Amino acid sequence: MEVEIFTLADYAADYGQGKLVINGTFDNITAKEFPAIHPSCAIVARIRIANSELGLHYFQIDALNPQGDNFHEPFKGEFTIQKNPNADHTTLNIIWNLVHSKFDMPGKYAFEFYYDGEFRTGLSLTVGVVDY
């Protein structure tokens, strides 16, 4: 399995047949006061699974605050890979839409992607204080 994309965006959609739309990727936000609520965003993963990896697989995305604790319930799923007769792999788009995310304090937040129980990649979101 190869992670092709793992990002945080304003919006994402899977249009089917492997087409993924991502709009407005970012890695920092600011707030005037805390706790702060971010209206909406999406965590997006695009993975490529080889035909040799047929069968049932699992994924999980954890959302961690600056202390390393979950600030959202983990996003989990499973899927079964069957042989792709048209290519040597299957591409899967995973979109986790987060609405009204609460950030209790400024700092570095993290999103971690696990595949079959193994950490594969992560990204960070810096939440800062508006200084004007």
Side-chain angles (χ1 to χ4, degrees):
M1 189 280 297
E2 176 184 345
V3 178
E4 291 183 346
I5 299 170
F6 189 58
T7 193
L8 178 60
D10 289 326
Y11 171 81
D14 184 335
Y15 286 167
Q17 298 181 339
K19 294 183 180 182
L20 174 64
V21 172
I22 302 171
N23 188 8
T25 63
F26 62 95
D27 62 4
N28 65 71
I29 58 175
T30 57
K32 292 181 181 179
E33 59 187 21
F34 291 86
I37 303 295
H38 191 72
S40 68
C41 62
I43 304 298
V44 184
R46 179 178 173 90
I47 59 175
R48 180 182 296 231
I49 305 116
N51 280 343
S52 61
E53 299 179 69
L54 302 178
L56 183 64
H57 297 278
Y58 304 89
F59 74 87
Q60 178 171 322
I61 302 173
D62 290 338
L64 307 173
N65 68 17
Q67 286 75 35
D69 300 319
N70 283 307
F71 69 96
H72 270 285
E73 287 295 316
F75 182 57
K76 301 177 182 183
E78 64 180 47
F79 52 88
T80 300
I81 296 299
Q82 298 177 358
K83 184 173 182 167
N84 183 343
N86 300 312
D88 61 357
H89 66 276
T90 296
T91 303
L92 181 67
N93 299 322
I94 300 167
I95 301 170
W96 183 16
N97 290 305
L98 300 170
V99 179
H100 302 295
S101 297
K102 181 180 175 186
F103 298 97
D104 288 327
M105 67 196 78
K108 188 181 240 183
Y109 290 74
F111 297 92
E112 297 180 342
F113 181 79
Y114 294 84
Y115 180 80
D116 289 344
E118 181 180 323
F119 174 81
R120 292 301 183 103
T121 191
L123 61 92
S124 64
L125 169 66
T126 302
V127 179
V129 179
V130 174
D131 58 358
Y132 55 87

